[in-house]
Amino acid sequence: TKEFCNLYETFIDILKNGPKYQTHTYMHRYRYVMEYDTEAFVDPMIINQALHEAWNTTPSKQNMMPYSVFVIGPGSSKIRDLIYYKAVQREYITNSPRYDIDENDPIAIEKEFLKQRPIPQYYNFKTAPYILIFTQRVEDKMNIWNQHLSDTQGMNFEQASKDRMHRAAKLSSIEIGMFAQTFSNSCLKHGVDISHTRCLPTELEWWSEPEFSFLENPPVMVMSAGIGKQYRRGFYSFLDHSIDYRPDFERIVKFV
């Protein structure tokens, strides 16, 4: 019957995508992108609007926003390839098993990887029309109120000190996550997919190429945005919510 078919389709959808709950955001549209559609046009105004919305609404301690967001738009593929191969190296150095390959030879590492498995998830860097690189930033021009607090009450702000910026690193990461969430929600609202990764070198010496001369501090996280062509679920035909799920609500949210 029609009712049974609808129930069956609902059941299959829950297995693949998890249960649906009422939401007032667009994050339920999120799917991890394995490959972006290089033929699909992404309106730059959508990206600009999403960035502006994130800048305008993301909370920040003392309104300092101790991070920078560098936006790599459509253009040369070299910088995308460099980021991809840095992720290849980082995964190889971090994980096991290790092969008898020089860790400074990402081409050889990639070749060995592809013998063992499908393309890595961060392959999307190669096809992403937009890439966002987040780094920590020192605020060198405090607003009037913070400057007043510093001058009259002797308040010290770690976000505004190069000597103490390491103390603001965790705060910076938290705020980067909030910015990324707002940016993601705005993109997904307009049909633009996003993905993000931390599988990258976090030491500045790994980013010494001229293409990254704009970096004053090492990346904390890198995001990509575009129109998805292949997604993680679907690329792996066996992957669905029945085996790939997050911890139960009660394990994460604990009412005291």
Side-chain angles (χ1 to χ4, degrees):
T1 65
K2 182 178 180 180
E3 290 77 11
F4 177 80
C5 290
N6 291 338
L7 181 63
Y8 176 77
E9 290 176 0
T10 300
F11 176 71
I12 295 300
D13 183 67
I14 291 174
L15 281 181
K16 288 184 176 180
N17 303 308
K20 292 182 179 179
Y21 301 96
Q22 184 177 4
T23 178
H24 299 287
T25 74
Y26 295 88
M27 292 305 297
H28 62 284
R29 295 181 179 177
Y30 168 75
R31 293 179 291 173
Y32 190 90
V33 179
M34 298 291 288
E35 180 183 5
Y36 288 97
D37 186 347
T38 57
E39 301 298 321
F41 172 73
V42 178
D43 189 343
M45 285 299 297
I46 293 176
I47 302 299
N48 292 342
Q49 173 63 31
L51 288 166
H52 193 277
E53 182 176 340
W55 164 81
N56 191 46
T57 63
T58 300
S60 181
K61 188 173 185 287
Q62 278 99 31
N63 277 328
M64 288 200 182
M65 304 188 78
Y67 53 91
S68 294
V69 186
F70 297 98
V71 183
I72 312 300
S76 171
S77 62
K78 184 174 182 180
I79 195 167
R80 290 160 173 76
D81 288 345
L82 286 170
I83 295 174
Y84 166 73
Y85 282 114
K86 289 181 190 301
V88 168
Q89 286 178 279
R90 175 56 63 183
E91 180 184 353
Y92 179 66
I93 292 170
T94 302
N95 297 323
S96 59
R98 297 288 295 276
Y99 311 111
D100 186 22
I101 299 173
D102 181 2
E103 65 183 31
N104 294 311
D105 188 349
I107 304 297
I109 297 171
E110 178 193 40
K111 185 176 180 180
E112 188 62 34
F113 274 175
L114 295 179
K115 289 181 182 178
Q116 312 293 332
R117 62 173 196 190
I119 61 173
Q121 291 185 183
Y122 44 80
Y123 183 81
N124 56 33
F125 286 138
K126 281 180 166 284
T127 54
Y130 287 92
I131 291 178
L132 277 59
I133 302 177
F134 295 85
T135 73
Q136 190 176 359
R137 181 184 71 89
V138 174
E139 177 55 85
D140 59 358
K141 188 178 180 181
M142 291 191 293
N143 65 30
I144 295 172
W145 175 243
N146 287 332
Q147 190 65 57
H148 169 76
L149 293 176
S150 178
D151 294 340
T152 62
Q153 300 183 26
M155 293 191 68
N156 293 313
F157 302 103
E158 61 268 20
Q159 311 99 302
S161 170
K162 288 185 178 180
D163 295 332
R164 302 174 65 207
M165 65 181 296
H166 64 282
R167 297 184 59 179
K170 291 183 180 179
L171 171 65
S172 174
S173 295
I174 291 170
E175 294 193 13
I176 285 172
M178 292 191 290
F179 185 104
Q181 172 81 1
T182 304
F183 173 78
S184 300
N185 187 64
S186 184
C187 284
L188 292 167
K189 176 181 178 180
H190 294 97
V192 175
D193 293 300
I194 57 92
S195 292
H196 38 73
T197 185
R198 276 266 299 168
C199 183
L200 285 161
T202 54
E203 303 83 15
L204 192 57
E205 56 264 28
W206 279 80
W207 302 83
S208 59
E209 295 90 347
E211 287 79 7
F212 300 108
S213 60
F214 55 85
L215 294 177
E216 294 183 0
N217 296 296
V220 175
M221 183 178 73
V222 179
M223 287 187 68
S224 56
I227 306 301
K229 184 177 181 180
Q230 285 196 91
Y231 301 92
R232 181 168 168 264
R233 293 190 181 180
F235 180 82
Y236 298 101
S237 58
F238 57 86
L239 200 60
D240 59 34
H241 187 73
S242 65
I243 62 172
D244 181 37
Y245 49 84
R246 62 185 60 199
D248 292 338
F249 178 82
E250 292 77 12
R251 291 179 59 195
I252 304 304
V253 181
K254 303 180 184 298
F255 293 93
V256 179

